[in-house]
Amino acid sequence: MMNLNPFDVITGLPNRQQFIADYEAAPGSQLVMLTLSDAKHFNQLLRAIGHDYSEDFMRVGAARLRAAMGHDITIYHVSILSFVFIVPGGATLERLQKIVEHFKAPLVCGGIPIAPDIALGFTDCADFNPSNVLRAALAAAQDCRNNGADWARYNRKTDTAHQRGFVLLSQLPAAMQASDQLSLHFQPKYNMATGQPTSAEALLRWKHPVFGNISPAEFIPLAEATAHIHALTDWVLRHAIAQAGAWAAKGMQLSIAINISPRNLTRRGFGRQIAQILQNCGVSPSSIELEFTEGALVLNDQIVLEELQALRHTGIRIALDDFGTGFANFSYITHLPADIIKIDKSFIQKIGSDHRSALVVRSLIELAHNLDYSVVAEGIETEKTFKMLADWACDEAQGFYLSPPLDAVRFSEVIKFPRQVKLKVG
Ligand code: C2E
Ligand code: CA
Ligand code: CA
């Protein structure tokens, strides 16, 4: 077996391998993890002061921890920014407080004072498996950071939610391969002037063999944080565009609206990928709307803007989804590479009861029209809301009041019969 170095080369402290070798379960004892900084902040630091000084950051941090804990306790340097130690008898408030106090002063690295942004997590040393205990301490330290607390104890409930996220992510590729897990539901949008259905928004559904139905609001953000989002969007594009082709063949002239993630746009060649699928399915680009959120614009990336513009040149329409929820930078509305603005349902749902929300939506519709965008209202749940929006000349309507998302078969039944597409107005 390879003989691994038991010490960290930067701080000289015993490392993670040594922790694994030394660890023994001990009821009453606790493992404490201290993280010096969050990874994003550390990367900025690395860029600003270079590797040599950032190594000082770890060395000075280790010395500071030693000063807080004294020499009787073994401190392990388990990953770049993290140290752990076992406290027999448990991590008392006084000890934790002492560590927090010691890290209030900056760590001086190459003459530059750097404010540490520590997180402290602790867990019982009851498990016999050192890797499990280490992971629990890390989970607690992350909870501490997420909650902005001084320290956090391992919490099985929040950890289980994270673990579920991990399981879901690892099973997503298999779900994309399986024939019976992912599916699309379709929710119609209606032209408010004519009452005719104009398009169907494809909404992804996942029926997991063990967890049952999982909301896209849970698994899409997980996928978006990883490269899985590219394969997932590809799955949605292929299935939604094939469905558009099948409906067109039956004489149903409807556009398909597809949700895409900001990260899809940062990948060059995305437009070519769509063009290929459209060609394979014999569907015209003018039958496609792509809905994206402001997150894509916040990236403020030239690639994103070029990609959107190139997509529009092919005849695909671009809709800005969830409009009004971000507003990171309002100035972009004047030069948005988009055709449609979709006002977020959180605004729409309030217009019937809240005068100020009604004013905002009414003004947004006017503003969008003045800038030549078409306006869609999503999340219309009542007749009152629908009528108000119709009065304000909103172009298209979508929401449970008109129709919930439906599977493809139900959707085509609902759309086929003119009586049922007649809007419930008047
Ligand atoms: P979204 O794009 O804003 O989609 C609208 C969501 O509101 C859908 O939830 C829809 O079922 C729901 N909805 C529709 N009408 C009403 C209404 O009248 N009232 C209320 N309260 N809700 C209404 P769903 O299907 O759970 O999707 C949630 C989100 O997941 C979507 O929000 C979208 O951001 C994301 N998503 C869904 N499918 C995809 C996909 O294929 N790709 C990507 N990237 N994201 C997707
Ligand atoms: Ca959408
Ligand atoms: Ca939306």
Side-chain angles (χ1 to χ4, degrees):
M1 213 175 94
M2 205 165 59
N3 189 11
L4 293 168
N5 181 3
F7 296 103
D8 182 90
V9 288
I10 295 168
T11 54
L13 291 172
N15 60 17
R16 192 177 63 87
Q17 283 76 15
Q18 193 58 43
F19 171 79
I20 303 270
D22 291 351
Y23 175 82
E24 279 173 18
S29 295
Q30 283 177 324
L31 180 72
V32 181
M33 177 175 285
L34 169 108
T35 308
L36 284 179
S37 154
D38 98 306
K40 196 172 165 198
H41 178 232
F42 182 69
N43 275 330
Q44 284 166 354
L45 182 70
L46 208 58
R47 184 170 174 176
I49 68 174
H51 287 86
D52 293 348
Y53 290 160
S54 64
E55 288 182 2
D56 278 358
F57 186 63
M58 295 172 221
R59 274 189 288 268
V60 179
R64 191 67 65 82
L65 182 59
R66 170 68 68 211
M69 298 308 300
H71 284 271
D72 302 339
I73 274 177
T74 307
I75 297 173
Y76 298 84
H77 190 174
V78 290
S79 68
I80 297 179
L81 295 168
S82 300
F83 302 90
V84 295
F85 50 90
I86 288 174
V87 188
T92 58
L93 273 182
E94 292 74 33
R95 273 192 191 270
L96 294 167
Q97 192 62 48
K98 198 169 171 192
I99 298 172
V100 171
E101 289 302 325
H102 268 73
F103 278 92
K104 283 205 166 139
L107 303 177
V108 180
C109 308
I112 303 167
I114 291 166
D117 179 17
I118 65 161
L120 271 176
F122 61 97
T123 187
D124 296 341
C125 295
D127 199 312
F128 288 98
N129 182 333
S131 297
N132 289 349
V133 184
L134 210 50
R135 204 194 61 76
L138 174 70
Q142 284 186 357
D143 284 350
C144 164
R145 193 170 292 290
N146 293 342
N147 303 336
D150 279 344
W151 53 75
R153 184 180 184 149
Y154 173 72
N155 179 318
R156 188 168 301 281
K157 221 166 129 195
T158 55
D159 194 34
T160 305
H162 262 88
Q163 297 265 61
R164 173 177 153 113
F166 178 77
V167 171
L168 289 180
L169 262 183
S170 60
Q171 296 181 354
L172 197 51
M176 285 187 261
Q177 295 301 320
S179 59
D180 56 351
Q181 293 197 35
L182 297 186
S183 65
L184 291 176
H185 276 192
F186 297 90
Q187 188 178 28
K189 295 184 213 174
Y190 292 89
N191 179 313
M192 290 191 98
T194 66
Q196 290 302 306
T198 49
S199 61
E201 179 177 3
L203 293 158
L204 194 53
R205 298 290 177 258
W206 183 2
K207 191 162 188 234
H208 188 279
V210 177
F211 299 132
N213 291 330
I214 304 163
S215 163
E218 179 178 5
F219 71 85
I220 297 269
L222 292 170
E224 277 175 338
T226 70
H228 282 331
I229 194 60
H230 299 299
L232 194 61
T233 300
D234 185 57
W235 190 99
V236 174
L237 285 167
R238 282 188 289 110
H239 287 79
I241 294 172
Q243 187 62 66
W247 280 335
K250 285 190 194 162
M252 272 167 71
Q253 290 306 331
L254 275 177
S255 296
I256 291 274
I258 299 164
N259 291 285
I260 52 174
S261 296
R263 283 190 61 186
N264 295 134
L265 293 167
T266 58
R267 214 185 207 198
R268 280 210 187 268
F270 182 62
R272 249 180 294 128
Q273 182 193 347
I274 298 180
Q276 188 65 57
I277 300 172
L278 287 170
Q279 200 184 7
N280 293 347
C281 299
V283 171
S284 150
S286 60
S287 303
I288 302 297
E289 285 170 19
L290 296 179
E291 298 191 0
F292 70 97
T293 56
E294 281 175 80
L297 298 164
V298 172
L299 294 172
N300 201 14
D301 190 321
Q302 199 53 32
I303 300 178
V304 169
L305 298 176
E306 282 171 19
E307 197 72 60
L308 286 172
Q309 213 45 283
L311 286 165
R312 288 180 77 207
H313 283 142
T314 67
I316 290 175
R317 267 159 303 144
I318 302 290
L320 181 61
D321 206 351
D322 300 346
F323 185 70
T325 53
F327 281 132
N329 177 1
F330 195 66
S331 68
Y332 68 75
I333 194 179
T334 55
H335 57 271
L336 207 56
D339 308 276
I340 303 159
I341 277 178
K342 211 169 170 185
I343 302 178
D344 191 64
K345 57 179 178 293
S346 59
F347 287 98
I348 303 297
Q349 280 160 352
K350 281 190 281 191
I351 63 173
S353 56
D354 176 31
H355 176 63
R356 296 178 78 82
S357 295
L359 267 179
V360 169
V361 169
R362 191 178 180 169
S363 313
L364 277 180
I365 294 173
E366 202 180 320
L367 174 71
H369 281 162
N370 287 338
L371 292 168
D372 280 338
Y373 300 112
S374 171
V375 183
V376 181
E378 68 171 11
I380 300 175
E381 292 181 350
T382 64
E383 183 175 7
K384 182 177 178 188
T385 308
F386 180 81
K387 283 183 171 167
M388 288 170 84
L389 290 158
D391 276 349
W392 301 337
C394 180
D395 302 283
E396 285 178 83
Q398 188 184 27
F400 294 162
Y401 172 64
L402 301 158
S403 168
L406 301 165
D407 65 42
V409 176
R410 277 284 294 142
F411 182 90
S412 41
E413 282 165 5
V414 165
I415 294 297
K416 238 187 301 182
F417 301 107
R419 241 177 328 120
Q420 282 168 290
V421 300
K422 238 182 102 191
L423 298 178
K424 304 170 196 165
V425 67

